[in-house]
Amino acid sequence: MRILKLKCESSIFRPLIDFLETNLSCTYKNEDDQAVLMAGEEYRFRTNSQQLYFMVIRKKDADLFIDLVCGGGGGGLFSISWGSEGAFINKAERLITGFCKDNNVMVTRI
């Protein structure tokens, strides 16, 4: 399993959710005023298996905290993922940082 935590300004909460929903194949979403849980599952050719990912995006005061989690991409006896879990994390991070840059919002790893 791979995990990445990001932090940025909460002013982009709703636009970021809409952007991620459009650019990632999320099949589950649960949200309220302060937090969103988005999840999806994708087939990974390199491991011949399904891979689950989810994102938790929550507001706290003026900050937005984003947790990216990906797992289950391993295949075979030793459940080797061949980097597929990290590939999703990198893709989601690039999408989020690009969106933040376009909106003049600073994003940091925590």
Side-chain angles (χ1 to χ4, degrees):
M1 179 173 15
R2 295 283 307 268
I3 301 168
L4 177 66
K5 295 178 179 244
L6 303 170
K7 178 182 169 184
C8 61
E9 295 174 16
S10 65
S11 62
I12 61 165
F13 181 68
R14 173 56 36 205
L16 178 62
I17 293 165
D18 295 340
F19 175 78
L20 291 173
E21 200 168 19
T22 301
N23 289 282
L24 296 173
S25 56
C26 296
T27 55
Y28 174 81
K29 182 171 83 167
N30 188 342
E31 67 180 295
D32 63 25
D33 298 2
Q34 300 298 311
V36 174
L37 170 68
M38 300 169 72
E41 185 178 51
E42 295 179 348
Y43 173 76
R44 293 293 175 211
F45 181 75
R46 70 176 93 173
T47 60
N48 192 29
S49 66
Q50 292 293 107
Q51 179 172 282
L52 173 69
Y53 62 85
F54 67 91
M55 296 171 282
V56 178
I57 304 168
R58 60 190 166 82
K59 286 195 291 189
K60 184 173 182 184
D61 302 323
D63 295 319
L64 193 61
F65 295 92
I66 305 164
D67 294 347
L68 305 171
V69 181
C70 187
L77 180 62
F78 299 106
S79 192
I80 299 171
S81 72
W82 300 106
S84 67
E85 294 167 349
F88 171 79
I89 295 291
N90 292 338
K91 175 184 173 182
E93 182 182 23
R94 279 191 312 273
L95 285 170
I96 292 167
T97 55
F99 181 84
C100 288
K101 184 179 178 183
D102 291 346
N103 289 279
N104 298 316
V105 171
M106 190 168 161
V107 62
T108 56
R109 287 182 171 205
I110 54 172

PDB file of all heavy atoms in Angstrom, residues 1-3 44 46-47 49-53 69-75 79-91:
ATOM      1  N   MET A   1       0.855  -1.170   0.000  1.00  0.00           N
ATOM      2  CA  MET A   1       0.000   0.000   0.000  1.00  0.00           C
ATOM      3  C   MET A   1       0.905   1.237   0.000  1.00  0.00           C
ATOM      4  O   MET A   1       1.917   1.274   0.675  1.00  0.00           O
ATOM      5  CB  MET A   1      -0.905  -0.007   1.231  1.00  0.00           C
ATOM      6  CG  MET A   1      -1.790   1.185   1.285  1.00  0.00           C
ATOM      7  SD  MET A   1      -3.072   1.237   2.588  1.00  0.00           S
ATOM      8  CE  MET A   1      -2.643   0.016   3.751  1.00  0.00           C
ATOM      9  N   ARG A   2       0.496   2.247  -0.743  1.00  0.00           N
ATOM     10  CA  ARG A   2       1.212   3.524  -0.800  1.00  0.00           C
ATOM     11  C   ARG A   2       0.291   4.631  -0.314  1.00  0.00           C
ATOM     12  O   ARG A   2      -0.902   4.640  -0.636  1.00  0.00           O
ATOM     13  CB  ARG A   2       1.651   3.830  -2.232  1.00  0.00           C
ATOM     14  CG  ARG A   2       2.667   2.891  -2.825  1.00  0.00           C
ATOM     15  CD  ARG A   2       4.073   3.133  -2.309  1.00  0.00           C
ATOM     16  NE  ARG A   2       4.500   4.501  -2.442  1.00  0.00           N
ATOM     17  CZ  ARG A   2       5.149   4.999  -3.478  1.00  0.00           C
ATOM     18  NH1 ARG A   2       5.459   4.248  -4.486  1.00  0.00           N
ATOM     19  NH2 ARG A   2       5.508   6.275  -3.486  1.00  0.00           N
ATOM     20  N   ILE A   3       0.859   5.577   0.443  1.00  0.00           N
ATOM     21  CA  ILE A   3       0.090   6.683   1.011  1.00  0.00           C
ATOM     22  C   ILE A   3       0.853   7.979   0.783  1.00  0.00           C
ATOM     23  O   ILE A   3       2.076   8.016   0.928  1.00  0.00           O
ATOM     24  CB  ILE A   3      -0.120   6.486   2.528  1.00  0.00           C
ATOM     25  CG1 ILE A   3      -0.863   5.183   2.790  1.00  0.00           C
ATOM     26  CG2 ILE A   3      -0.865   7.676   3.134  1.00  0.00           C
ATOM     27  CD1 ILE A   3      -0.857   4.756   4.239  1.00  0.00           C
ATOM     28  N   ARG A  44      -4.980  -3.351 -13.495  1.00  0.00           N
ATOM     29  CA  ARG A  44      -3.593  -3.039 -13.817  1.00  0.00           C
ATOM     30  C   ARG A  44      -3.002  -4.189 -14.613  1.00  0.00           C
ATOM     31  O   ARG A  44      -2.861  -5.297 -14.103  1.00  0.00           O
ATOM     32  CB  ARG A  44      -2.764  -2.798 -12.549  1.00  0.00           C
ATOM     33  CG  ARG A  44      -3.170  -1.570 -11.810  1.00  0.00           C
ATOM     34  CD  ARG A  44      -2.830  -0.351 -12.643  1.00  0.00           C
ATOM     35  NE  ARG A  44      -3.321   0.845 -12.005  1.00  0.00           N
ATOM     36  CZ  ARG A  44      -3.707   1.901 -12.669  1.00  0.00           C
ATOM     37  NH1 ARG A  44      -3.658   1.925 -13.971  1.00  0.00           N
ATOM     38  NH2 ARG A  44      -4.147   2.958 -12.043  1.00  0.00           N
ATOM     39  N   ARG A  46       0.047  -4.587 -15.708  1.00  0.00           N
ATOM     40  CA  ARG A  46       1.387  -5.035 -15.304  1.00  0.00           C
ATOM     41  C   ARG A  46       1.366  -6.057 -14.182  1.00  0.00           C
ATOM     42  O   ARG A  46       2.309  -6.814 -14.008  1.00  0.00           O
ATOM     43  CB  ARG A  46       2.289  -3.863 -14.964  1.00  0.00           C
ATOM     44  CG  ARG A  46       1.930  -3.129 -13.703  1.00  0.00           C
ATOM     45  CD  ARG A  46       2.933  -2.045 -13.377  1.00  0.00           C
ATOM     46  NE  ARG A  46       2.504  -0.780 -13.942  1.00  0.00           N
ATOM     47  CZ  ARG A  46       3.078   0.376 -13.722  1.00  0.00           C
ATOM     48  NH1 ARG A  46       4.143   0.438 -12.979  1.00  0.00           N
ATOM     49  NH2 ARG A  46       2.624   1.478 -14.240  1.00  0.00           N
ATOM     50  N   THR A  47       0.296  -6.093 -13.395  1.00  0.00           N
ATOM     51  CA  THR A  47       0.188  -7.085 -12.321  1.00  0.00           C
ATOM     52  C   THR A  47      -0.964  -8.054 -12.539  1.00  0.00           C
ATOM     53  O   THR A  47      -1.151  -8.975 -11.749  1.00  0.00           O
ATOM     54  CB  THR A  47      -0.009  -6.389 -10.957  1.00  0.00           C
ATOM     55  OG1 THR A  47      -1.205  -5.616 -11.007  1.00  0.00           O
ATOM     56  CG2 THR A  47       1.179  -5.522 -10.610  1.00  0.00           C
ATOM     57  N   SER A  49      -4.113  -7.579 -12.056  1.00  0.00           N
ATOM     58  CA  SER A  49      -4.971  -7.566 -10.870  1.00  0.00           C
ATOM     59  C   SER A  49      -5.729  -6.242 -10.781  1.00  0.00           C
ATOM     60  O   SER A  49      -5.404  -5.276 -11.463  1.00  0.00           O
ATOM     61  CB  SER A  49      -4.136  -7.768  -9.597  1.00  0.00           C
ATOM     62  OG  SER A  49      -3.276  -6.678  -9.402  1.00  0.00           O
ATOM     63  N   GLN A  50      -6.718  -6.239  -9.913  1.00  0.00           N
ATOM     64  CA  GLN A  50      -7.459  -5.022  -9.629  1.00  0.00           C
ATOM     65  C   GLN A  50      -6.716  -4.238  -8.554  1.00  0.00           C
ATOM     66  O   GLN A  50      -6.122  -4.823  -7.647  1.00  0.00           O
ATOM     67  CB  GLN A  50      -8.863  -5.339  -9.131  1.00  0.00           C
ATOM     68  CG  GLN A  50      -9.765  -5.960 -10.185  1.00  0.00           C
ATOM     69  CD  GLN A  50     -10.085  -4.995 -11.295  1.00  0.00           C
ATOM     70  OE1 GLN A  50      -9.575  -5.127 -12.389  1.00  0.00           O
ATOM     71  NE2 GLN A  50     -10.911  -4.019 -11.015  1.00  0.00           N
ATOM     72  N   GLN A  51      -6.777  -2.930  -8.647  1.00  0.00           N
ATOM     73  CA  GLN A  51      -6.115  -2.065  -7.678  1.00  0.00           C
ATOM     74  C   GLN A  51      -7.134  -1.074  -7.139  1.00  0.00           C
ATOM     75  O   GLN A  51      -7.847  -0.442  -7.902  1.00  0.00           O
ATOM     76  CB  GLN A  51      -4.986  -1.327  -8.388  1.00  0.00           C
ATOM     77  CG  GLN A  51      -4.225  -0.379  -7.528  1.00  0.00           C
ATOM     78  CD  GLN A  51      -3.026   0.145  -8.279  1.00  0.00           C
ATOM     79  OE1 GLN A  51      -2.040  -0.526  -8.397  1.00  0.00           O
ATOM     80  NE2 GLN A  51      -3.154   1.337  -8.815  1.00  0.00           N
ATOM     81  N   LEU A  52      -7.191  -0.946  -5.826  1.00  0.00           N
ATOM     82  CA  LEU A  52      -8.123  -0.037  -5.169  1.00  0.00           C
ATOM     83  C   LEU A  52      -7.393   1.233  -4.757  1.00  0.00           C
ATOM     84  O   LEU A  52      -6.260   1.180  -4.298  1.00  0.00           O
ATOM     85  CB  LEU A  52      -8.715  -0.693  -3.914  1.00  0.00           C
ATOM     86  CG  LEU A  52      -9.575   0.193  -3.021  1.00  0.00           C
ATOM     87  CD1 LEU A  52     -10.885   0.550  -3.722  1.00  0.00           C
ATOM     88  CD2 LEU A  52      -9.846  -0.481  -1.699  1.00  0.00           C
ATOM     89  N   TYR A  53      -8.026   2.360  -4.955  1.00  0.00           N
ATOM     90  CA  TYR A  53      -7.478   3.612  -4.465  1.00  0.00           C
ATOM     91  C   TYR A  53      -8.594   4.427  -3.851  1.00  0.00           C
ATOM     92  O   TYR A  53      -9.757   4.266  -4.187  1.00  0.00           O
ATOM     93  CB  TYR A  53      -6.792   4.412  -5.582  1.00  0.00           C
ATOM     94  CG  TYR A  53      -7.712   4.829  -6.692  1.00  0.00           C
ATOM     95  CD1 TYR A  53      -8.465   5.996  -6.601  1.00  0.00           C
ATOM     96  CD2 TYR A  53      -7.851   4.055  -7.834  1.00  0.00           C
ATOM     97  CE1 TYR A  53      -9.319   6.372  -7.605  1.00  0.00           C
ATOM     98  CE2 TYR A  53      -8.703   4.427  -8.849  1.00  0.00           C
ATOM     99  CZ  TYR A  53      -9.429   5.585  -8.736  1.00  0.00           C
ATOM    100  OH  TYR A  53     -10.287   5.954  -9.730  1.00  0.00           O
ATOM    101  N   VAL A  69      -4.433   7.193  -1.044  1.00  0.00           N
ATOM    102  CA  VAL A  69      -4.083   5.838  -0.627  1.00  0.00           C
ATOM    103  C   VAL A  69      -4.365   4.892  -1.782  1.00  0.00           C
ATOM    104  O   VAL A  69      -5.427   4.948  -2.400  1.00  0.00           O
ATOM    105  CB  VAL A  69      -4.898   5.402   0.610  1.00  0.00           C
ATOM    106  CG1 VAL A  69      -4.505   4.001   1.051  1.00  0.00           C
ATOM    107  CG2 VAL A  69      -4.736   6.388   1.746  1.00  0.00           C
ATOM    108  N   CYS A  70      -3.387   4.031  -2.069  1.00  0.00           N
ATOM    109  CA  CYS A  70      -3.569   3.056  -3.144  1.00  0.00           C
ATOM    110  C   CYS A  70      -3.014   1.718  -2.684  1.00  0.00           C
ATOM    111  O   CYS A  70      -1.921   1.642  -2.116  1.00  0.00           O
ATOM    112  CB  CYS A  70      -2.842   3.534  -4.402  1.00  0.00           C
ATOM    113  SG  CYS A  70      -3.167   2.494  -5.824  1.00  0.00           S
ATOM    114  N   GLY A  71      -3.752   0.660  -2.935  1.00  0.00           N
ATOM    115  CA  GLY A  71      -3.310  -0.671  -2.527  1.00  0.00           C
ATOM    116  C   GLY A  71      -3.976  -1.765  -3.327  1.00  0.00           C
ATOM    117  O   GLY A  71      -4.877  -1.529  -4.115  1.00  0.00           O
ATOM    118  N   GLY A  72      -3.501  -2.963  -3.101  1.00  0.00           N
ATOM    119  CA  GLY A  72      -4.088  -4.120  -3.754  1.00  0.00           C
ATOM    120  C   GLY A  72      -3.650  -4.319  -5.188  1.00  0.00           C
ATOM    121  O   GLY A  72      -4.236  -5.102  -5.912  1.00  0.00           O
ATOM    122  N   GLY A  73      -2.602  -3.633  -5.606  1.00  0.00           N
ATOM    123  CA  GLY A  73      -2.140  -3.757  -6.986  1.00  0.00           C
ATOM    124  C   GLY A  73      -1.149  -4.873  -7.192  1.00  0.00           C
ATOM    125  O   GLY A  73      -0.655  -5.075  -8.286  1.00  0.00           O
ATOM    126  N   GLY A  74      -0.844  -5.613  -6.135  1.00  0.00           N
ATOM    127  CA  GLY A  74       0.162  -6.671  -6.243  1.00  0.00           C
ATOM    128  C   GLY A  74      -0.407  -7.947  -6.824  1.00  0.00           C
ATOM    129  O   GLY A  74      -1.582  -8.259  -6.681  1.00  0.00           O
ATOM    130  N   GLY A  75       0.451  -8.692  -7.477  1.00  0.00           N
ATOM    131  CA  GLY A  75       0.036  -9.963  -8.047  1.00  0.00           C
ATOM    132  C   GLY A  75       1.052 -11.041  -7.737  1.00  0.00           C
ATOM    133  O   GLY A  75       2.193 -10.775  -7.363  1.00  0.00           O
ATOM    134  N   SER A  79       2.805 -10.953  -3.939  1.00  0.00           N
ATOM    135  CA  SER A  79       2.004  -9.742  -4.101  1.00  0.00           C
ATOM    136  C   SER A  79       2.855  -8.537  -4.516  1.00  0.00           C
ATOM    137  O   SER A  79       2.752  -7.461  -3.967  1.00  0.00           O
ATOM    138  CB  SER A  79       1.241  -9.428  -2.806  1.00  0.00           C
ATOM    139  OG  SER A  79       0.278  -8.442  -3.047  1.00  0.00           O
ATOM    140  N   ILE A  80       3.692  -8.727  -5.517  1.00  0.00           N
ATOM    141  CA  ILE A  80       4.560  -7.664  -6.035  1.00  0.00           C
ATOM    142  C   ILE A  80       3.734  -6.733  -6.908  1.00  0.00           C
ATOM    143  O   ILE A  80       3.054  -7.177  -7.831  1.00  0.00           O
ATOM    144  CB  ILE A  80       5.736  -8.257  -6.828  1.00  0.00           C
ATOM    145  CG1 ILE A  80       6.577  -9.139  -5.903  1.00  0.00           C
ATOM    146  CG2 ILE A  80       6.584  -7.157  -7.444  1.00  0.00           C
ATOM    147  CD1 ILE A  80       7.625  -9.951  -6.602  1.00  0.00           C
ATOM    148  N   SER A  81       3.818  -5.431  -6.636  1.00  0.00           N
ATOM    149  CA  SER A  81       2.985  -4.470  -7.368  1.00  0.00           C
ATOM    150  C   SER A  81       3.669  -3.906  -8.606  1.00  0.00           C
ATOM    151  O   SER A  81       3.042  -3.226  -9.401  1.00  0.00           O
ATOM    152  CB  SER A  81       2.563  -3.318  -6.455  1.00  0.00           C
ATOM    153  OG  SER A  81       3.666  -2.487  -6.178  1.00  0.00           O
ATOM    154  N   TRP A  82       4.956  -4.136  -8.769  1.00  0.00           N
ATOM    155  CA  TRP A  82       5.712  -3.623  -9.909  1.00  0.00           C
ATOM    156  C   TRP A  82       5.514  -2.129 -10.106  1.00  0.00           C
ATOM    157  O   TRP A  82       5.475  -1.629 -11.201  1.00  0.00           O
ATOM    158  CB  TRP A  82       5.371  -4.380 -11.192  1.00  0.00           C
ATOM    159  CG  TRP A  82       5.661  -5.835 -11.106  1.00  0.00           C
ATOM    160  CD1 TRP A  82       4.743  -6.831 -10.980  1.00  0.00           C
ATOM    161  CD2 TRP A  82       6.946  -6.474 -11.105  1.00  0.00           C
ATOM    162  NE1 TRP A  82       5.370  -8.048 -10.890  1.00  0.00           N
ATOM    163  CE2 TRP A  82       6.732  -7.850 -10.975  1.00  0.00           C
ATOM    164  CE3 TRP A  82       8.260  -6.010 -11.183  1.00  0.00           C
ATOM    165  CZ2 TRP A  82       7.781  -8.767 -10.931  1.00  0.00           C
ATOM    166  CZ3 TRP A  82       9.291  -6.923 -11.143  1.00  0.00           C
ATOM    167  CH2 TRP A  82       9.049  -8.274 -11.026  1.00  0.00           C
ATOM    168  N   GLY A  83       5.311  -1.412  -9.006  1.00  0.00           N
ATOM    169  CA  GLY A  83       5.197   0.037  -9.065  1.00  0.00           C
ATOM    170  C   GLY A  83       3.828   0.571  -9.426  1.00  0.00           C
ATOM    171  O   GLY A  83       3.654   1.772  -9.563  1.00  0.00           O
ATOM    172  N   SER A  84       2.832  -0.292  -9.569  1.00  0.00           N
ATOM    173  CA  SER A  84       1.515   0.197  -9.999  1.00  0.00           C
ATOM    174  C   SER A  84       0.841   1.052  -8.938  1.00  0.00           C
ATOM    175  O   SER A  84       0.146   2.016  -9.263  1.00  0.00           O
ATOM    176  CB  SER A  84       0.605  -0.968 -10.396  1.00  0.00           C
ATOM    177  OG  SER A  84       0.284  -1.774  -9.285  1.00  0.00           O
ATOM    178  N   GLU A  85       1.045   0.754  -7.662  1.00  0.00           N
ATOM    179  CA  GLU A  85       0.456   1.572  -6.600  1.00  0.00           C
ATOM    180  C   GLU A  85       1.082   2.961  -6.601  1.00  0.00           C
ATOM    181  O   GLU A  85       0.395   3.968  -6.507  1.00  0.00           O
ATOM    182  CB  GLU A  85       0.636   0.888  -5.246  1.00  0.00           C
ATOM    183  CG  GLU A  85      -0.136  -0.410  -5.145  1.00  0.00           C
ATOM    184  CD  GLU A  85       0.262  -1.269  -3.966  1.00  0.00           C
ATOM    185  OE1 GLU A  85       1.294  -0.970  -3.305  1.00  0.00           O
ATOM    186  OE2 GLU A  85      -0.434  -2.248  -3.694  1.00  0.00           O
ATOM    187  N   GLY A  86       2.408   3.014  -6.716  1.00  0.00           N
ATOM    188  CA  GLY A  86       3.107   4.297  -6.779  1.00  0.00           C
ATOM    189  C   GLY A  86       2.734   5.092  -8.011  1.00  0.00           C
ATOM    190  O   GLY A  86       2.685   6.323  -7.978  1.00  0.00           O
ATOM    191  N   ALA A  87       2.446   4.397  -9.111  1.00  0.00           N
ATOM    192  CA  ALA A  87       2.073   5.085 -10.347  1.00  0.00           C
ATOM    193  C   ALA A  87       0.769   5.848 -10.172  1.00  0.00           C
ATOM    194  O   ALA A  87       0.632   6.982 -10.647  1.00  0.00           O
ATOM    195  CB  ALA A  87       1.956   4.094 -11.501  1.00  0.00           C
ATOM    196  N   PHE A  88      -0.199   5.254  -9.475  1.00  0.00           N
ATOM    197  CA  PHE A  88      -1.442   5.980  -9.230  1.00  0.00           C
ATOM    198  C   PHE A  88      -1.206   7.179  -8.326  1.00  0.00           C
ATOM    199  O   PHE A  88      -1.724   8.262  -8.588  1.00  0.00           O
ATOM    200  CB  PHE A  88      -2.536   5.097  -8.620  1.00  0.00           C
ATOM    201  CG  PHE A  88      -3.711   5.921  -8.189  1.00  0.00           C
ATOM    202  CD1 PHE A  88      -4.628   6.360  -9.119  1.00  0.00           C
ATOM    203  CD2 PHE A  88      -3.852   6.339  -6.877  1.00  0.00           C
ATOM    204  CE1 PHE A  88      -5.692   7.181  -8.751  1.00  0.00           C
ATOM    205  CE2 PHE A  88      -4.901   7.158  -6.485  1.00  0.00           C
ATOM    206  CZ  PHE A  88      -5.822   7.573  -7.436  1.00  0.00           C
ATOM    207  N   ILE A  89      -0.438   6.991  -7.251  1.00  0.00           N
ATOM    208  CA  ILE A  89      -0.153   8.085  -6.329  1.00  0.00           C
ATOM    209  C   ILE A  89       0.506   9.238  -7.081  1.00  0.00           C
ATOM    210  O   ILE A  89       0.134  10.408  -6.913  1.00  0.00           O
ATOM    211  CB  ILE A  89       0.743   7.610  -5.158  1.00  0.00           C
ATOM    212  CG1 ILE A  89       0.008   6.580  -4.294  1.00  0.00           C
ATOM    213  CG2 ILE A  89       1.238   8.791  -4.331  1.00  0.00           C
ATOM    214  CD1 ILE A  89      -1.154   7.095  -3.490  1.00  0.00           C
ATOM    215  N   ASN A  90       1.478   8.925  -7.930  1.00  0.00           N
ATOM    216  CA  ASN A  90       2.167   9.962  -8.713  1.00  0.00           C
ATOM    217  C   ASN A  90       1.209  10.677  -9.659  1.00  0.00           C
ATOM    218  O   ASN A  90       1.261  11.899  -9.807  1.00  0.00           O
ATOM    219  CB  ASN A  90       3.333   9.370  -9.496  1.00  0.00           C
ATOM    220  CG  ASN A  90       4.450   8.896  -8.603  1.00  0.00           C
ATOM    221  OD1 ASN A  90       4.584   9.331  -7.463  1.00  0.00           O
ATOM    222  ND2 ASN A  90       5.259   7.976  -9.102  1.00  0.00           N
ATOM    223  N   LYS A  91       0.329   9.919 -10.301  1.00  0.00           N
ATOM    224  CA  LYS A  91      -0.648  10.509 -11.226  1.00  0.00           C
ATOM    225  C   LYS A  91      -1.590  11.470 -10.480  1.00  0.00           C
ATOM    226  O   LYS A  91      -1.814  12.597 -10.920  1.00  0.00           O
ATOM    227  CB  LYS A  91      -1.462   9.402 -11.898  1.00  0.00           C
ATOM    228  CG  LYS A  91      -2.584   9.893 -12.777  1.00  0.00           C
ATOM    229  CD  LYS A  91      -3.381   8.719 -13.312  1.00  0.00           C
ATOM    230  CE  LYS A  91      -4.608   9.178 -14.066  1.00  0.00           C
ATOM    231  NZ  LYS A  91      -5.412   8.028 -14.552  1.00  0.00           N
TER     232      LYS A  91
END
